[in-house]
Amino acid sequence: MGEHPSPGPAVAACAEAERIEELEPEAEERLPAAPEDHWKVLFDQFDPGNTGYISTGKFRSLLESHSSNLDPHKREVLLALADSHADGQICYQDFVNLMSNKRSNSFRQAILQGNRRLSSKALLEEKGLSLSQRLIRHVAYETLPREIDRKWYYDSYTCCPPPWFMLTITLLEVAFFLYNGVSLGQFVLQVTHPRYLKNSLVYHPQLRAQAWRYLTYIFMHAGIEHLGLNVVLQLLVGVPLEMVHGATRIGLVYVAGVVAVPGSLAVSVADMTAPVVGSSGGVYALVSAHLANIVMNWSGMKCQFKLLRMAVALICMSMEFGRAVWLRFHPSAYPPCPHPSFVAHLGGVAVGITLGVVVLRNYEQRLQDQSLWWIFVAMYTVFVLFAIFWNIFAYTLLDLKLPPPP
Protein backbone atom coordinates (compact mmCIF):
# COMPACT_ATOMS: atom_id res chain seq x y z
CA MET A 1 0.00 0.00 0.00
CA GLY A 2 1.44 3.38 -1.04
CA GLU A 3 1.94 6.10 1.48
CA HIS A 4 -0.82 8.62 1.82
CA PRO A 5 0.54 11.91 0.39
CA SER A 6 0.17 15.12 2.30
CA PRO A 7 -2.75 17.22 1.09
CA GLY A 8 -1.84 19.83 -1.50
CA PRO A 9 -3.34 23.29 -1.96
CA ALA A 10 -6.08 21.86 -4.16
CA VAL A 11 -7.46 19.92 -1.18
CA ALA A 12 -8.00 23.17 0.67
CA ALA A 13 -9.54 24.77 -2.40
CA CYS A 14 -11.96 21.90 -2.90
CA ALA A 15 -12.87 21.71 0.79
CA GLU A 16 -13.39 25.46 1.00
CA ALA A 17 -15.53 25.41 -2.14
CA GLU A 18 -17.73 22.65 -0.75
CA ARG A 19 -18.19 24.56 2.53
CA ILE A 20 -19.10 27.76 0.71
CA GLU A 21 -22.13 26.31 -0.99
CA GLU A 22 -23.90 23.03 -1.42
CA LEU A 23 -24.75 23.17 -5.10
CA GLU A 24 -27.96 21.56 -6.26
CA PRO A 25 -27.38 17.97 -7.36
CA GLU A 26 -27.43 17.45 -11.07
CA ALA A 27 -28.15 14.34 -13.05
CA GLU A 28 -24.86 12.62 -13.47
CA GLU A 29 -23.51 12.96 -16.94
CA ARG A 30 -20.33 11.75 -18.52
CA LEU A 31 -18.04 14.41 -19.84
CA PRO A 32 -15.88 13.47 -22.85
CA ALA A 33 -13.56 10.72 -21.63
CA ALA A 34 -12.36 7.24 -22.41
CA PRO A 35 -14.89 4.38 -22.24
CA GLU A 36 -15.46 2.78 -18.86
CA ASP A 37 -14.04 -0.57 -19.95
CA HIS A 38 -10.73 1.17 -20.68
CA TRP A 39 -10.63 2.36 -17.07
CA LYS A 40 -11.39 -1.19 -15.93
CA VAL A 41 -8.29 -2.47 -17.74
CA LEU A 42 -6.16 0.23 -16.11
CA PHE A 43 -7.65 -0.45 -12.68
CA ASP A 44 -6.89 -4.18 -12.95
CA GLN A 45 -3.25 -3.40 -13.73
CA PHE A 46 -2.97 -1.72 -10.31
CA ASP A 47 -5.15 -4.30 -8.56
CA PRO A 48 -3.65 -7.68 -9.50
CA GLY A 49 -5.35 -9.34 -6.52
CA ASN A 50 -8.83 -8.25 -7.69
CA THR A 51 -9.59 -6.74 -4.30
CA GLY A 52 -11.63 -3.93 -5.85
CA TYR A 53 -9.39 -1.30 -4.29
CA ILE A 54 -6.16 0.49 -5.20
CA SER A 55 -4.12 2.79 -3.04
CA THR A 56 -4.14 6.53 -3.57
CA GLY A 57 -0.41 6.26 -4.15
CA LYS A 58 -0.95 3.97 -7.13
CA PHE A 59 -3.69 6.29 -8.36
CA ARG A 60 -1.22 9.16 -8.24
CA SER A 61 1.21 7.09 -10.30
CA LEU A 62 -1.53 6.45 -12.84
CA LEU A 63 -2.32 10.16 -13.10
CA GLU A 64 1.35 10.98 -13.50
CA SER A 65 1.61 8.52 -16.39
CA HIS A 66 -1.35 10.22 -18.10
CA SER A 67 -0.41 13.77 -17.13
CA SER A 68 0.25 14.81 -20.73
CA ASN A 69 -3.42 14.14 -21.54
CA LEU A 70 -4.81 16.06 -18.56
CA ASP A 71 -5.19 19.75 -17.94
CA PRO A 72 -2.79 20.72 -15.07
CA HIS A 73 -5.60 22.16 -12.95
CA LYS A 74 -7.69 19.07 -13.54
CA ARG A 75 -4.84 16.76 -12.56
CA GLU A 76 -4.24 18.67 -9.33
CA VAL A 77 -7.89 18.50 -8.35
CA LEU A 78 -8.10 14.80 -9.18
CA LEU A 79 -5.10 14.24 -6.92
CA ALA A 80 -6.71 16.33 -4.20
CA LEU A 81 -9.97 14.41 -4.43
CA ALA A 82 -8.06 11.15 -4.31
CA ASP A 83 -6.12 12.33 -1.26
CA SER A 84 -9.40 13.14 0.49
CA HIS A 85 -10.02 9.40 0.96
CA ALA A 86 -9.07 9.02 4.62
CA ASP A 87 -8.40 5.28 4.35
CA GLY A 88 -5.85 5.77 1.57
CA GLN A 89 -7.79 3.55 -0.83
CA ILE A 90 -9.99 4.09 -3.86
CA CYS A 91 -12.65 1.60 -4.90
CA TYR A 92 -13.37 0.80 -8.53
CA GLN A 93 -16.48 2.99 -8.80
CA ASP A 94 -14.70 5.97 -7.28
CA PHE A 95 -11.84 5.35 -9.68
CA VAL A 96 -14.18 5.40 -12.69
CA ASN A 97 -15.93 8.50 -11.38
CA LEU A 98 -12.66 10.35 -10.92
CA MET A 99 -11.19 9.41 -14.27
CA SER A 100 -14.36 10.00 -16.29
CA ASN A 101 -15.43 13.18 -14.44
CA LYS A 102 -18.73 11.53 -13.56
CA ARG A 103 -19.41 14.18 -11.00
CA SER A 104 -21.94 16.82 -10.09
CA ASN A 105 -21.56 20.53 -10.74
CA SER A 106 -19.53 20.89 -7.54
CA PHE A 107 -16.89 18.56 -9.00
CA ARG A 108 -16.65 20.61 -12.20
CA GLN A 109 -16.40 23.77 -10.12
CA ALA A 110 -13.58 22.18 -8.11
CA ILE A 111 -11.72 21.55 -11.36
CA LEU A 112 -12.15 25.22 -12.23
CA GLN A 113 -10.70 26.21 -8.88
CA GLY A 114 -7.50 24.19 -9.41
CA ASN A 115 -5.06 25.16 -6.67
CA ARG A 116 -6.61 28.58 -6.09
CA ARG A 117 -7.45 29.02 -2.42
CA LEU A 118 -10.81 30.63 -1.70
CA SER A 119 -11.78 32.50 1.41
CA SER A 120 -14.60 30.95 3.42
CA LYS A 121 -16.42 34.22 3.95
CA ALA A 122 -18.71 35.84 1.40
CA LEU A 123 -17.41 38.56 -0.88
CA LEU A 124 -19.80 41.07 0.66
CA GLU A 125 -17.93 40.67 3.96
CA GLU A 126 -14.56 41.60 2.45
CA LYS A 127 -13.23 44.89 3.81
CA GLY A 128 -10.68 47.42 2.60
CA LEU A 129 -11.34 46.90 -1.10
CA SER A 130 -10.28 49.47 -3.68
CA LEU A 131 -12.79 51.16 -5.97
CA SER A 132 -12.01 48.79 -8.86
CA GLN A 133 -12.34 45.76 -6.57
CA ARG A 134 -15.71 46.97 -5.33
CA LEU A 135 -16.83 47.45 -8.94
CA ILE A 136 -15.81 43.89 -9.86
CA ARG A 137 -17.58 42.57 -6.76
CA HIS A 138 -20.69 44.54 -7.69
CA VAL A 139 -20.67 43.09 -11.22
CA ALA A 140 -20.28 39.59 -9.80
CA TYR A 141 -23.33 39.98 -7.57
CA GLU A 142 -25.32 41.57 -10.40
CA THR A 143 -24.86 38.71 -12.83
CA LEU A 144 -23.88 35.43 -11.11
CA PRO A 145 -26.20 33.39 -8.87
CA ARG A 146 -23.61 31.20 -7.09
CA GLU A 147 -21.16 32.40 -4.49
CA ILE A 148 -18.45 30.06 -5.73
CA ASP A 149 -18.78 31.52 -9.26
CA ARG A 150 -18.71 35.04 -7.88
CA LYS A 151 -15.51 34.33 -5.96
CA TRP A 152 -13.87 32.72 -8.99
CA TYR A 153 -14.82 35.68 -11.19
CA TYR A 154 -13.64 38.18 -8.56
CA ASP A 155 -10.26 36.45 -8.25
CA SER A 156 -9.67 35.91 -11.97
CA TYR A 157 -11.04 39.07 -13.66
CA THR A 158 -8.26 41.26 -15.04
CA CYS A 159 -10.19 43.72 -17.26
CA CYS A 160 -8.15 42.44 -20.20
CA PRO A 161 -9.80 42.71 -22.59
CA PRO A 162 -12.25 45.38 -21.41
CA PRO A 163 -15.96 45.19 -22.41
CA TRP A 164 -15.11 46.61 -25.84
CA PHE A 165 -18.06 45.21 -27.79
CA MET A 166 -20.90 46.98 -25.99
CA LEU A 167 -18.89 50.20 -25.63
CA THR A 168 -18.00 50.22 -29.34
CA ILE A 169 -21.58 49.53 -30.44
CA THR A 170 -22.87 52.27 -28.15
CA LEU A 171 -20.35 54.87 -29.34
CA LEU A 172 -21.11 54.07 -32.98
CA GLU A 173 -24.86 54.39 -32.41
CA VAL A 174 -24.42 57.77 -30.71
CA ALA A 175 -22.06 59.00 -33.45
CA PHE A 176 -24.40 58.01 -36.27
CA PHE A 177 -27.35 59.56 -34.48
CA LEU A 178 -25.57 62.88 -33.98
CA TYR A 179 -24.42 62.94 -37.60
CA ASN A 180 -27.92 62.16 -38.84
CA GLY A 181 -29.44 64.73 -36.48
CA VAL A 182 -27.16 67.48 -37.80
CA SER A 183 -27.86 66.44 -41.40
CA LEU A 184 -31.64 66.47 -40.92
CA GLY A 185 -31.71 69.35 -38.44
CA GLN A 186 -33.88 67.24 -36.14
CA PHE A 187 -33.10 65.15 -33.04
CA VAL A 188 -36.53 64.36 -31.57
CA LEU A 189 -38.62 61.92 -33.61
CA GLN A 190 -36.09 61.98 -36.42
CA VAL A 191 -38.05 59.21 -38.09
CA THR A 192 -40.81 61.66 -39.02
CA HIS A 193 -38.47 63.68 -41.25
CA PRO A 194 -39.32 63.16 -44.95
CA ARG A 195 -35.68 62.40 -45.80
CA TYR A 196 -35.09 59.96 -42.94
CA LEU A 197 -35.57 56.77 -44.96
CA LYS A 198 -33.15 57.90 -47.66
CA ASN A 199 -30.27 56.89 -45.42
CA SER A 200 -28.49 53.81 -46.80
CA LEU A 201 -28.31 52.19 -43.34
CA VAL A 202 -32.08 51.80 -42.82
CA TYR A 203 -33.73 48.46 -43.59
CA HIS A 204 -36.42 49.05 -46.21
CA PRO A 205 -38.54 46.18 -47.61
CA GLN A 206 -38.15 47.45 -51.17
CA LEU A 207 -34.35 47.41 -50.77
CA ARG A 208 -34.06 44.08 -48.94
CA ALA A 209 -31.67 42.76 -51.60
CA GLN A 210 -29.04 45.10 -50.12
CA ALA A 211 -27.92 42.63 -47.48
CA TRP A 212 -25.99 45.07 -45.29
CA ARG A 213 -29.25 46.75 -44.29
CA TYR A 214 -30.22 43.67 -42.21
CA LEU A 215 -27.48 44.72 -39.77
CA THR A 216 -26.71 48.40 -40.26
CA TYR A 217 -30.22 49.53 -39.32
CA ILE A 218 -29.14 49.32 -35.63
CA PHE A 219 -27.19 52.57 -36.10
CA MET A 220 -30.35 54.48 -37.02
CA HIS A 221 -32.81 55.43 -34.29
CA ALA A 222 -36.26 56.97 -34.41
CA GLY A 223 -35.17 59.85 -32.19
CA ILE A 224 -33.25 60.77 -29.08
CA GLU A 225 -36.01 59.20 -26.97
CA HIS A 226 -35.41 55.88 -28.76
CA LEU A 227 -31.62 56.05 -28.64
CA GLY A 228 -31.54 57.17 -25.00
CA LEU A 229 -33.26 54.11 -23.56
CA ASN A 230 -31.25 51.70 -25.72
CA VAL A 231 -27.96 53.30 -24.69
CA VAL A 232 -28.87 53.25 -20.99
CA LEU A 233 -29.83 49.56 -21.10
CA GLN A 234 -26.74 48.64 -23.12
CA LEU A 235 -24.47 50.30 -20.58
CA LEU A 236 -26.25 49.21 -17.40
CA VAL A 237 -26.99 45.63 -18.47
CA GLY A 238 -24.84 44.83 -21.50
CA VAL A 239 -21.48 46.02 -20.14
CA PRO A 240 -21.63 44.01 -16.85
CA LEU A 241 -22.76 40.92 -18.77
CA GLU A 242 -19.84 41.30 -21.17
CA MET A 243 -17.42 41.73 -18.27
CA VAL A 244 -18.52 38.34 -16.92
CA HIS A 245 -19.32 36.29 -20.03
CA GLY A 246 -17.01 37.91 -22.57
CA ALA A 247 -17.49 39.75 -25.85
CA THR A 248 -17.96 36.60 -27.93
CA ARG A 249 -20.96 35.26 -26.03
CA ILE A 250 -22.66 38.58 -25.39
CA GLY A 251 -21.95 39.70 -28.96
CA LEU A 252 -23.53 36.48 -30.20
CA VAL A 253 -26.75 37.10 -28.28
CA TYR A 254 -26.83 40.76 -29.33
CA VAL A 255 -26.22 40.11 -33.03
CA ALA A 256 -28.67 37.19 -33.01
CA GLY A 257 -31.28 39.59 -31.67
CA VAL A 258 -30.45 42.18 -34.32
CA VAL A 259 -30.20 40.09 -37.48
CA ALA A 260 -32.62 37.21 -37.29
CA VAL A 261 -35.44 36.23 -34.98
CA PRO A 262 -36.28 39.57 -33.48
CA GLY A 263 -34.68 41.77 -36.08
CA SER A 264 -34.90 42.55 -39.73
CA LEU A 265 -35.61 38.99 -40.89
CA ALA A 266 -38.56 38.68 -38.50
CA VAL A 267 -39.95 42.02 -39.62
CA SER A 268 -39.62 40.91 -43.25
CA VAL A 269 -41.91 37.98 -42.37
CA ALA A 270 -44.36 39.44 -39.84
CA ASP A 271 -44.59 43.11 -40.91
CA MET A 272 -43.61 42.92 -44.56
CA THR A 273 -44.24 46.50 -45.64
CA ALA A 274 -42.51 48.27 -42.76
CA PRO A 275 -38.91 49.49 -42.44
CA VAL A 276 -36.77 48.78 -39.37
CA VAL A 277 -34.51 51.07 -37.33
CA GLY A 278 -32.79 50.94 -33.94
CA SER A 279 -30.92 48.42 -31.83
CA SER A 280 -33.93 47.41 -29.74
CA GLY A 281 -33.78 43.78 -30.95
CA GLY A 282 -30.29 43.27 -29.53
CA VAL A 283 -30.97 45.29 -26.38
CA TYR A 284 -34.18 43.43 -25.58
CA ALA A 285 -32.41 40.11 -26.15
CA LEU A 286 -29.76 40.96 -23.53
CA VAL A 287 -32.17 42.46 -20.99
CA SER A 288 -34.69 39.62 -21.33
CA ALA A 289 -31.95 37.02 -20.88
CA HIS A 290 -30.68 38.82 -17.77
CA LEU A 291 -34.14 39.19 -16.22
CA ALA A 292 -35.01 35.57 -16.98
CA ASN A 293 -31.74 34.45 -15.40
CA ILE A 294 -32.57 36.40 -12.24
CA VAL A 295 -36.03 34.84 -12.00
CA MET A 296 -34.72 31.31 -12.60
CA ASN A 297 -32.05 31.77 -9.91
CA TRP A 298 -34.03 34.03 -7.60
CA SER A 299 -32.73 32.68 -4.30
CA GLY A 300 -29.10 32.73 -5.46
CA MET A 301 -29.06 36.21 -6.99
CA LYS A 302 -27.87 38.64 -4.33
CA CYS A 303 -28.18 41.93 -6.23
CA GLN A 304 -29.79 44.63 -4.10
CA PHE A 305 -33.44 45.61 -4.59
CA LYS A 306 -33.80 43.00 -7.33
CA LEU A 307 -37.61 43.04 -7.31
CA LEU A 308 -37.78 46.83 -7.56
CA ARG A 309 -35.12 46.95 -10.25
CA MET A 310 -36.85 44.25 -12.28
CA ALA A 311 -40.07 46.23 -12.06
CA VAL A 312 -38.31 49.41 -13.24
CA ALA A 313 -36.67 47.55 -16.14
CA LEU A 314 -39.98 46.04 -17.23
CA ILE A 315 -41.73 49.42 -17.01
CA CYS A 316 -39.02 51.06 -19.14
CA MET A 317 -39.17 48.28 -21.71
CA SER A 318 -42.96 48.47 -21.81
CA MET A 319 -42.90 52.24 -22.30
CA GLU A 320 -40.41 51.91 -25.15
CA PHE A 321 -42.50 49.17 -26.74
CA GLY A 322 -45.61 51.31 -26.38
CA ARG A 323 -43.82 54.19 -28.10
CA ALA A 324 -42.84 51.88 -30.96
CA VAL A 325 -46.42 50.60 -31.39
CA TRP A 326 -47.82 54.15 -31.35
CA LEU A 327 -45.27 55.29 -33.91
CA ARG A 328 -45.92 52.32 -36.21
CA PHE A 329 -49.61 53.22 -36.57
CA HIS A 330 -49.14 56.99 -36.48
CA PRO A 331 -49.84 58.69 -39.85
CA SER A 332 -46.67 58.32 -41.85
CA ALA A 333 -44.44 61.23 -42.85
CA TYR A 334 -43.62 59.45 -46.12
CA PRO A 335 -46.77 57.70 -47.37
CA PRO A 336 -47.47 55.06 -48.53
CA CYS A 337 -44.53 53.66 -46.52
CA PRO A 338 -45.44 53.22 -42.83
CA HIS A 339 -43.27 54.17 -39.91
CA PRO A 340 -40.75 51.56 -38.62
CA SER A 341 -42.01 48.24 -37.24
CA PHE A 342 -42.17 47.25 -33.57
CA VAL A 343 -41.76 43.51 -34.22
CA ALA A 344 -38.05 43.72 -33.37
CA HIS A 345 -38.90 44.42 -29.72
CA LEU A 346 -41.06 41.32 -29.38
CA GLY A 347 -38.55 39.06 -31.07
CA GLY A 348 -35.75 40.35 -28.88
CA VAL A 349 -37.50 38.83 -25.90
CA ALA A 350 -37.75 35.51 -27.79
CA VAL A 351 -34.00 35.36 -28.38
CA GLY A 352 -33.25 36.47 -24.81
CA ILE A 353 -35.28 33.74 -23.11
CA THR A 354 -33.88 31.01 -25.38
CA LEU A 355 -30.31 31.48 -26.61
CA GLY A 356 -29.61 34.23 -24.09
CA VAL A 357 -30.62 32.25 -21.01
CA VAL A 358 -28.48 29.26 -22.05
CA VAL A 359 -25.47 31.56 -22.42
CA LEU A 360 -25.94 33.31 -19.07
CA ARG A 361 -26.64 30.12 -17.11
CA ASN A 362 -23.40 28.45 -18.21
CA TYR A 363 -20.66 30.66 -16.83
CA GLU A 364 -17.21 29.15 -17.54
CA GLN A 365 -18.79 26.07 -19.12
CA ARG A 366 -18.69 24.95 -22.75
CA LEU A 367 -21.91 25.78 -24.58
CA GLN A 368 -21.38 22.91 -27.00
CA ASP A 369 -21.80 20.49 -24.09
CA GLN A 370 -25.31 21.80 -23.35
CA SER A 371 -28.16 20.03 -25.15
CA LEU A 372 -30.45 23.05 -24.81
CA TRP A 373 -27.88 25.14 -26.67
CA TRP A 374 -28.05 22.87 -29.71
CA ILE A 375 -31.86 22.75 -29.58
CA PHE A 376 -32.14 26.54 -29.67
CA VAL A 377 -29.40 26.86 -32.29
CA ALA A 378 -31.29 24.40 -34.48
CA MET A 379 -34.54 26.35 -34.01
CA TYR A 380 -32.77 29.59 -34.79
CA THR A 381 -31.15 28.15 -37.92
CA VAL A 382 -34.48 26.81 -39.17
CA PHE A 383 -36.09 30.22 -38.76
CA VAL A 384 -33.23 31.99 -40.54
CA LEU A 385 -33.45 29.60 -43.50
CA PHE A 386 -37.24 29.99 -43.58
CA ALA A 387 -36.95 33.78 -43.50
CA ILE A 388 -34.40 33.78 -46.33
CA PHE A 389 -36.64 31.68 -48.58
CA TRP A 390 -39.62 33.82 -47.54
CA ASN A 391 -37.79 36.95 -48.63
CA ILE A 392 -36.92 35.37 -51.96
CA PHE A 393 -40.32 33.93 -52.90
CA ALA A 394 -43.16 35.14 -50.65
CA TYR A 395 -43.38 38.73 -51.86
CA THR A 396 -43.94 37.54 -55.42
CA LEU A 397 -46.29 34.67 -54.55
CA LEU A 398 -48.46 36.88 -52.33
CA ASP A 399 -48.40 39.66 -54.94
CA LEU A 400 -47.78 42.10 -52.11
CA LYS A 401 -47.65 45.76 -53.03
CA LEU A 402 -44.63 47.28 -51.33
CA PRO A 403 -44.07 50.99 -50.76
CA PRO A 404 -41.72 52.54 -53.33
CA PRO A 405 -38.06 52.92 -52.42
CA PRO A 406 -37.20 56.18 -50.65
Side-chain angles (χ1 to χ4, degrees):
M1 200 71 66
E3 293 183 0
H4 184 75
S6 59
V11 178
C14 182
E16 293 285 355
E18 291 296 328
R19 284 198 296 270
I20 291 169
E21 182 181 46
E22 280 292 328
L23 300 177
E24 295 181 2
E26 297 179 351
E28 288 190 345
E29 59 183 35
R30 185 180 301 281
L31 300 181
E36 190 166 316
D37 56 354
H38 173 64
W39 299 129
K40 175 63 175 173
V41 173
L42 287 175
F43 187 88
D44 289 343
Q45 293 177 3
F46 289 87
D47 181 31
N50 293 321
T51 63
Y53 291 88
I54 63 173
S55 68
T56 54
K58 290 181 178 179
F59 180 70
R60 290 179 67 91
S61 299
L62 178 60
L63 287 181
E64 292 294 342
S65 65
H66 288 76
S67 60
S68 60
N69 299 323
L70 293 173
D71 179 86
H73 280 176
K74 178 179 176 179
R75 185 172 64 85
E76 291 180 13
V77 174
L78 287 172
L79 288 171
L81 293 175
D83 290 343
S84 65
H85 287 247
D87 57 1
Q89 292 183 323
I90 297 177
C91 69
Y92 173 68
Q93 190 56 54
D94 286 342
F95 174 81
V96 172
N97 287 346
L98 288 171
M99 297 302 291
S100 63
N101 294 340
K102 195 175 181 181
R103 278 292 188 261
S104 65
N105 192 32
S106 59
F107 178 80
R108 289 195 291 271
Q109 290 294 349
I111 290 177
L112 287 176
Q113 304 309 320
N115 61 354
R116 184 182 298 273
R117 185 176 182 85
L118 297 178
S119 171
S120 59
K121 61 181 180 181
L123 276 178
L124 286 177
E125 300 175 8
E126 296 283 350
K127 304 297 183 182
L129 300 181
S130 66
L131 179 61
S132 61
Q133 289 175 321
R134 290 199 299 270
L135 174 62
I136 295 171
R137 181 178 65 179
H138 174 76
V139 169
Y141 276 95
E142 287 291 308
T143 56
L144 295 171
R146 292 170 176 163
E147 183 69 15
I148 194 170
D149 286 339
R150 292 191 284 261
K151 285 174 171 287
W152 174 251
Y153 169 75
Y154 175 81
D155 284 343
S156 61
Y157 183 71
T158 61
C159 199
C160 184
W164 62 269
F165 178 79
M166 294 309 306
L167 294 177
T168 301
I169 288 291
T170 301
L171 290 175
L172 287 174
E173 289 172 1
V174 172
F176 277 103
F177 175 79
L178 293 176
Y179 174 80
N180 206 42
V182 172
S183 301
L184 299 177
Q186 185 173 337
F187 290 92
V188 178
L189 285 176
Q190 279 186 0
V191 72
T192 60
H193 195 284
R195 291 190 290 113
Y196 181 83
L197 290 185
K198 294 183 180 295
N199 194 295
S200 60
L201 301 180
V202 175
Y203 169 82
H204 191 283
Q206 193 67 264
L207 302 174
R208 64 188 184 281
Q210 298 176 357
W212 70 83
R213 292 176 180 264
Y214 287 90
L215 178 62
T216 58
Y217 75 89
I218 69 171
F219 300 116
M220 298 291 295
H221 285 79
I224 194 169
E225 66 288 345
H226 185 198
L227 174 72
L229 182 61
N230 282 350
V231 166
V232 169
L233 291 177
Q234 283 178 180
L235 295 178
L236 293 183
V237 177
V239 169
L241 289 179
E242 185 179 347
M243 290 174 65
V244 173
H245 297 280
T248 301
R249 292 189 174 192
I250 297 305
L252 174 65
V253 176
Y254 188 87
V255 173
V258 165
V259 176
V261 177
S264 44
L265 283 177
V267 173
S268 68
V269 173
D271 197 359
M272 299 170 67
T273 63
V276 189
V277 297
S279 59
S280 297
V283 171
Y284 275 51
L286 291 179
V287 176
S288 298
H290 180 53
L291 295 182
N293 191 44
I294 292 177
V295 172
M296 295 171 66
N297 300 280
W298 186 261
S299 61
M301 296 298 292
K302 302 301 182 182
C303 47
Q304 294 181 324
F305 311 112
K306 54 187 174 184
L307 184 59
L308 175 62
R309 293 164 64 180
M310 281 190 64
V312 171
L314 290 173
I315 290 173
C316 291
M317 293 171 67
S318 300
M319 291 176 60
E320 163 56 21
F321 178 70
R323 180 208 60 80
V325 173
W326 167 81
L327 183 62
R328 170 63 177 84
F329 296 105
H330 189 270
S332 177
Y334 23 76
C337 183
H339 281 143
S341 174
F342 58 85
V343 172
H345 299 70
L346 294 176
V349 177
V351 167
I353 62 178
T354 52
L355 284 176
V357 167
V358 175
V359 169
L360 299 192
R361 289 190 65 189
N362 289 282
Y363 170 67
E364 288 283 331
Q365 295 183 35
R366 287 157 37 107
L367 293 177
Q368 55 266 42
D369 292 339
Q370 312 298 319
S371 57
L372 271 180
W373 168 255
W374 291 112
I375 292 173
F376 290 138
V377 166
M379 293 169 57
Y380 192 86
T381 303
V382 168
F383 177 85
V384 170
L385 293 175
F386 168 77
I388 291 174
F389 280 101
W390 181 274
N391 274 269
I392 295 174
F393 300 110
Y395 286 82
T396 302
L397 295 175
L398 295 176
D399 194 23
L400 187 68
K401 185 177 181 180
L402 293 175

